[in-house]
Amino acid sequence: MLKDLRHGQRLELEGIAYRLSVNPRARRYGVRIDAGRREAVVVAPHTRHLGAALAFARSRSAWIGRHLGEAQAASIAFAPGAVIPFEGRPVTLTSEPGRRAARLAGPDVIVAGGEGEAFSRRIEAFLRTKARVRLGDCTARHAARLGQPVPKVSLGDAGGRWGSCSPQRASIRYSWRLIMAPPEVLDYVAAHEVAHLVHPHHQPPFWAEVERLYGPWEEARAWLRREGARLHAVGRSQT
């Protein structure tokens, strides 16, 4: 019997990596795939429920194993010749000798200099820069509609999480990987997180605010649930 389970703890059981997470806003046990870290995230509303939540996740080990395998197979490294999504469309990564920073060379090509890790870092830096600009603009627009000061925007790479809002700090943190999603999906996440500035929950008033800011949001949310693992697999080698 597993004891003393805690938030953030990582376990490997029967060949599957699990990470335990406590989310007081969760209404029930849950499990999601973190494709980037290649692990299953087990969610419980309270620490005392982590054991039951882990048991629930282990009962779905076949499903978890299948999706982790798919995520690994879909991994795409930032390397010359790779095709990655950018703003919802496929673009090809190309090496340009002598170039340092990456740039967009036409609608479907990103060029950068360097080899190996240097090339990969420059591609990611390019994507992060574009994400910061696009997410900053969307956040400012939605905050203005909400009558709120523009929050501080930062970027991260939390696997399986697209954004988090801290109303007390007036700050929002987004996944830079949103720049790979279609613009309307990125805009939905910005509206979602801005709405949390005044509604720190997922009750009906929150979703009504999201709809007021963004419009019908169900399709964008469904896209993320369907395609999110693919975005988290981009920029990672299969080793």
Side-chain angles (χ1 to χ4, degrees), residues 18-22 30-32 40-44 50 53-55 57:
Y18 297 92
R19 173 160 48 96
L20 307 183
S21 176
V22 174
V31 59
R32 60 179 172 79
V41 180
V42 179
V43 181
L50 282 172
L54 180 58

Side-chain angles (χ1 to χ4, degrees), residues 165-204:
C165 176
S166 298
Q168 305 90 335
R169 301 176 183 174
S171 66
I172 295 176
R173 188 169 181 82
Y174 295 105
S175 169
W176 64 264
R177 294 175 178 277
L178 284 165
I179 196 61
M180 295 188 280
E184 62 272 17
V185 173
L186 178 150
D187 192 38
Y188 155 70
V189 175
H192 183 117
E193 297 306 330
V194 168
H196 276 314
L197 291 171
V198 293
H199 298 290
H201 52 69
H202 287 102
Q203 302 301 315

